[in-house]
Amino acid sequence: MAAKRKREALAAGKAKRARSAPSAGETVPEGGPRERSVPPQEYSIPPPVSQGKWKNKERVLIFSSRGINFRTRHLMQDLRTLMPHSKADTKMDRKDQLFVINEVCEMKNCNKCIFFEAKKKQDLYMWLSNTPQGPSAKFLVQNVHTLAELKMTGNCLRGSRPLLSFDPMFDQEPHYALLKELFIQIFSTPQYHPKSQPFVDHVFTFTITDERIWFRNYQIIEEDASLVEIGPRFVLNLIKIFQGSFGGPTLYENPHYQSPNMHRRLIRLSVAAKFREKQQVKEVQKIKKKGTKVLVEEDPTEVVFETPAEEKPVEIQLVKPESKPIVKDKKKLRKIQRKKQKKVFRTEG
C-alpha cells in the first residue's frame, strides 16, 4: 500500500510540473505575470450565417380552391419547395367569398398570399395579394410545366435563396413596376430565414413577351457561371390589378386580355364558318348541274354516212320445236346427236 501511495504522489507531481512549464511561444518575465504571444492568423473563419437576426419576416400562404387538376397541384407543390418561407393550408370551398382568404392569412400569420383558383376544371387563375391592405393582381395561368414533367438536368439546393431577374420593361410601365415590387416581396426568400440556406445557386426570371409575363427558373453552374433550366415554368396573363386584397377598386385592366370562354367561342365560330362555306359551295355546284342546258342544233350533214340496216324477213314458225332430251351423260348425248345427223344425210341422199 505504501508503494502505491508513493507512485500516485510522483504522478501528481509530474502533472503539476507539466502544467506550470511554459509552452512554446510563451514568454515568462522575471518579475511579472506570464504573457502568451499568439502567432498572427492568416485566415479568419466568418461566423455562421444563422447567427444573423431575422428581420424581414415575410410569410407567403400558398393554397388553392377545390376542383384543381393534377398539374396545378404539382405546380403548387413545386412553389412550396422553392420558397422556404411559404406555408400551406387546406383547399378552400368554391362557395366561400375571396375576402375570406384575408382571415385565413391572419390565422396563419402570413402577410402575402398566392391563391390558385380553378374554374370549369380547365381554366386556372392565380391571385397574388398583399394581405390585408392590398394591392392584389389576378392572372390567367397558361402553359404550365412542372418539375417532374420537364425532367431538366439542373438541380439546386433546397431552401437556397434565389436571385430575381426582371425584364427592363418592368421599369417603363407603372403597372409593371407595381407587379415587380409584388414579385420581389413574394418570391424573394428573406435573409437569415431559419429554413433557408446561405447559398445563391438559382435565378427566377420574369420576362415580358406578347403582353404576358413568362416565369423561368435557372440553376447557376459554378464552373463557367452558365444557366441550366430547372423548372417549373408557366406564363401569366394579367387580367386586373385591384387596390385592395382580393377586391376593391380596379387600378389597371389589361386591354389585350381575352377570356378562355371567348377564345373557345371564337374557335367554334371559325370551325362553323368553314363548314358553312363548304356547304354553300356544294349547293352552288348542285344549282349549276340542275340549270338549263344549252341545246345544240342538229347538223344535217351527220346523217350522210349512216347506212340503213337491212330488213330481215319475218319468219313464222308453225311447228313446235323438238324438246331436247335431258341426258346427264355427255357421251350418250354425243351418240344421239350423231344418229340424228346420219338420218338427215340419208333422207337427203
Side-chain angles (χ1 to χ4, degrees):
M1 294 294 290
K4 188 175 181 180
R5 288 173 189 166
K6 285 182 181 179
R7 285 198 297 270
E8 289 176 357
L10 288 173
K14 288 180 181 179
K16 287 180 182 179
R17 283 196 298 272
R19 289 194 199 100
S20 62
S23 60
E26 293 184 356
T27 58
V28 181
E30 294 179 358
R34 191 167 25 175
E35 296 179 358
R36 178 176 295 178
S37 63
V38 181
Q41 296 181 358
E42 296 181 0
Y43 301 101
S44 62
I45 301 174
V49 182
S50 59
Q51 288 185 358
K53 192 174 181 182
W54 180 27
K55 296 180 181 179
N56 180 18
K57 297 190 178 183
E58 295 282 353
R59 297 181 182 89
V60 183
L61 180 64
I62 303 177
F63 71 116
S64 68
S65 65
R66 296 194 180 276
I68 61 173
N69 54 7
F70 72 97
R71 195 185 300 273
T72 307
R73 187 170 63 253
H74 284 225
L75 174 64
M76 186 170 56
Q77 190 62 35
D78 293 343
L79 291 179
R80 289 174 184 169
T81 306
L82 293 173
M83 300 165 64
H85 61 293
S86 64
K87 287 188 177 183
D89 194 23
T90 57
K91 295 179 181 178
M92 196 180 74
D93 197 358
R94 295 180 184 176
K95 297 179 182 178
D96 296 338
Q97 299 296 328
L98 290 177
F99 61 82
V100 180
I101 302 176
N102 297 326
E103 299 177 3
V104 178
C105 292
E106 186 178 357
M107 289 189 294
K108 288 285 185 177
N109 197 16
C110 296
N111 50 6
K112 298 291 185 297
C113 181
I114 299 178
F115 177 68
F116 292 95
E117 185 181 7
K119 290 184 178 181
K120 294 187 176 182
K121 295 184 179 180
Q122 55 182 344
D123 302 330
L124 177 63
Y125 298 91
M126 178 192 285
W127 285 83
L128 300 179
S129 176
N130 180 21
T131 57
Q133 291 86 13
S136 60
K138 185 180 180 181
F139 301 91
L140 174 67
V141 186
Q142 299 172 333
N143 301 333
V144 177
H145 298 280
T146 58
L147 276 170
E149 182 184 357
L150 288 175
K151 296 181 181 178
M152 295 293 184
T153 57
N155 189 13
C156 66
L157 183 66
R158 181 167 183 170
S160 59
R161 301 179 66 235
L163 293 175
L164 300 183
S165 174
F166 291 93
D167 193 278
M169 189 73 179
F170 278 97
D171 299 326
Q172 298 178 7
E173 298 291 337
H175 60 280
Y176 283 140
L178 177 61
L179 292 177
K180 178 181 178 181
E181 185 62 29
L182 196 61
F183 288 147
I184 290 173
Q185 294 182 13
I186 290 177
F187 287 97
S188 62
T189 303
Q191 195 174 9
Y192 306 120
H193 192 277
K195 293 183 180 179
S196 66
Q197 299 290 340
F199 302 101
V200 178
D201 58 353
H202 63 288
V203 185
F204 290 162
T205 61
F206 298 89
T207 311
I208 298 175
T209 306
D210 195 18
E211 304 296 335
R212 292 170 175 82
I213 299 173
W214 300 63
F215 176 85
R216 296 289 184 271
N217 181 21
Y218 296 97
Q219 179 199 0
I220 304 173
I221 300 178
E222 297 180 358
E223 287 77 9
D224 52 353
S226 60
L227 299 178
V228 178
E229 187 173 359
I230 304 173
R233 57 161 67 170
F234 51 87
V235 180
L236 299 177
N237 190 0
L238 178 63
I239 302 174
K240 284 184 181 181
I241 300 176
F242 300 96
Q243 185 176 355
S245 177
F246 295 97
T250 303
L251 299 179
Y252 176 78
E253 185 175 358
N254 188 8
H256 305 284
Y257 170 72
Q258 186 182 66
S259 65
N261 294 330
M262 181 60 68
H263 181 67
R264 288 189 287 268
R265 180 173 177 272
L266 292 177
I267 291 175
R268 288 195 299 268
L269 289 176
S270 64
V271 173
K274 288 181 181 179
F275 179 75
R276 203 179 300 113
E277 186 179 355
K278 288 182 180 179
Q279 292 296 113
Q280 289 176 358
V281 171
K282 288 182 180 179
E283 290 177 1
V284 170
Q285 290 176 354
K286 287 181 181 179
I287 293 170
K288 286 182 179 179
K289 288 180 180 179
K290 291 180 180 179
T292 55
K293 296 181 180 180
V294 179
L295 297 176
V296 182
E297 297 180 358
E298 294 183 358
D299 189 5
T301 59
E302 289 182 358
V303 198
V304 174
F305 299 99
E306 290 183 359
T307 55
E310 295 180 358
E311 295 183 0
K312 294 182 180 180
V314 180
E315 294 182 357
I316 300 172
Q317 191 173 0
L318 300 175
V319 183
K320 181 181 178 181
E322 296 179 357
S323 60
K324 295 181 180 179
I326 300 171
V327 182
K328 293 183 179 180
D329 194 359
K330 293 183 179 180
K331 291 182 179 179
K332 289 183 180 181
L333 179 63
R334 290 172 186 169
K335 287 181 181 179
I336 294 169
Q337 289 178 354
R338 287 172 188 170
K339 286 180 181 180
K340 287 182 179 181
Q341 288 177 359
K342 285 180 181 179
K343 286 181 182 179
V344 172
F345 289 135
R346 285 174 188 174
T347 52
E348 291 178 356

